[in-house]
Amino acid sequence: MAQTTTVRVNLQLGIYKIIDPLVKVLIKIGLTPNAITTIGLLLNFGVAGIFILGAEEGNRGDLSYVGWAGALVLFAGLFDMLDGQVARLGKMSSKFGALYDSVLDRYSELIMFLGICYYLVAHHYFLSSIFAFVALIGSMMVSYVRARAEGLGIEIKGGLMQRPERVVTIGLFAMICGISSMYIGGDYKLYIPGIPFHVFETITIFTVPIVILAILSNITAFRRLYDAKKIMDAAEHTTTKK
């Protein structure tokens, strides 16, 4: 777990080095962290809009909407990093800004998953839509457990599926799914002799990562709960000994 955290931190620092020139430009033109956070939210409304448009206007084999939505998810995710860096480098950090960022992040994720679930249900991917909803539950609980623990004076972080990982997973594989459909077809299905149903179809490129995300995000939430319990138990044991 510690090694995973170290890799994640190093990767984050590397990304910061890349985006810092852009951050300085944003600071120079007077864009505030809260404004950047708001832009991120609006972009996620766009993500949901693309998925809903794909559900209403596209057919089951047209995965171009999934690809474009994935690209926008990644672009919107960039603003998650920009707002924090603008606050730090521009010396504009505030308690309300941190709260505003956390609240809008939750709204952004809820809106994104709304679009995903709508798309999957509309095109009759019912099982995948259930996993998308479970992934949404896990995503919210990862954040809730941390926030509730911090309210009790306990700081817990870490886990395999924090928000950056969730955003990259959904955005990247949605985009790959859309691009792949241009080459193999959106309604491609792979059958294996002896098995009466297909074992793969193009949309699987998008839905299998959602299943993995659903599992890992909930594991992360329970892991944080377990870590919080260990810290509480240790504190109670220390108090009892005194």
Side-chain angles (χ1 to χ4, degrees):
M1 184 71 73
Q3 187 177 1
T4 303
T5 303
T6 302
V7 171
R8 186 177 185 273
V9 170
N10 289 336
L11 181 61
Q12 196 172 42
L13 291 174
I15 294 172
Y16 283 153
K17 288 181 181 179
I18 296 171
I19 67 173
D20 276 353
L22 175 58
V23 169
K24 291 172 183 176
V25 171
L26 295 176
I27 293 171
K28 191 172 183 179
I29 65 177
L31 209 57
T32 66
N34 289 352
I36 295 171
T37 303
T38 304
I39 292 171
L41 174 66
L42 295 176
L43 289 173
N44 276 287
F45 270 107
V47 170
I50 293 173
F51 276 119
I52 291 171
L53 188 64
E56 296 296 325
E57 302 293 335
N59 55 57
R60 186 180 168 100
D62 182 5
L63 300 179
S64 60
Y65 293 94
V66 175
W68 284 112
L72 190 55
V73 167
L74 293 176
F75 183 61
L78 175 64
F79 285 79
D80 270 349
M81 303 196 76
L82 287 174
D83 57 7
Q85 276 300 87
V86 167
R88 282 185 285 272
L89 296 183
K91 295 181 172 53
M92 291 182 274
S93 299
S94 67
K95 289 184 178 179
F96 176 74
L99 176 62
Y100 187 75
D101 179 51
S102 295
V103 171
L104 262 64
D105 279 353
R106 304 291 81 72
Y107 272 114
S108 292
E109 207 154 5
L110 285 165
I111 291 162
M112 177 187 69
F113 273 109
L114 168 64
I116 292 172
C117 288
Y118 191 101
Y119 181 90
L120 294 174
V121 170
H123 289 305
H124 308 293
Y125 297 109
F126 295 116
L127 184 59
S128 295
S129 69
I130 291 172
F131 275 108
F133 186 71
V134 173
L136 169 59
I137 293 171
S139 299
M140 293 301 103
M141 291 310 298
V142 166
S143 301
Y144 178 78
V145 173
R146 177 181 175 179
R148 190 70 185 92
E150 288 178 347
L152 296 171
I154 301 168
E155 185 176 355
I156 49 170
K157 295 181 180 180
L160 295 171
M161 272 295 166
Q162 300 179 62
R163 178 163 165 75
E165 288 89 340
R166 297 194 299 268
V167 169
V168 171
T169 297
I170 290 176
L172 182 62
F173 284 98
M175 194 166 63
I176 292 172
C177 180
I179 294 171
S180 298
S181 69
M182 296 168 59
Y183 296 96
I184 64 175
D187 55 357
Y188 172 79
K189 293 180 176 61
L190 175 66
Y191 290 88
I192 294 179
I195 300 178
F197 53 86
H198 61 269
V199 296
F200 172 87
E201 58 181 313
T202 312
I203 190 69
T204 308
I205 298 170
F206 177 50
T207 56
V208 167
I210 288 178
V211 173
I212 295 171
L213 191 153
I215 295 168
L216 293 183
S217 61
N218 282 283
I219 288 174
T220 298
F222 278 101
R223 175 69 191 187
R224 286 186 171 185
L225 185 63
Y226 175 71
D227 289 343
K229 183 181 184 303
K230 283 202 305 183
I231 294 170
M232 290 177 182
D233 288 345
E236 288 178 5
H237 181 69
T238 302
T239 304
T240 303
K241 285 182 68 176
K242 289 181 179 179

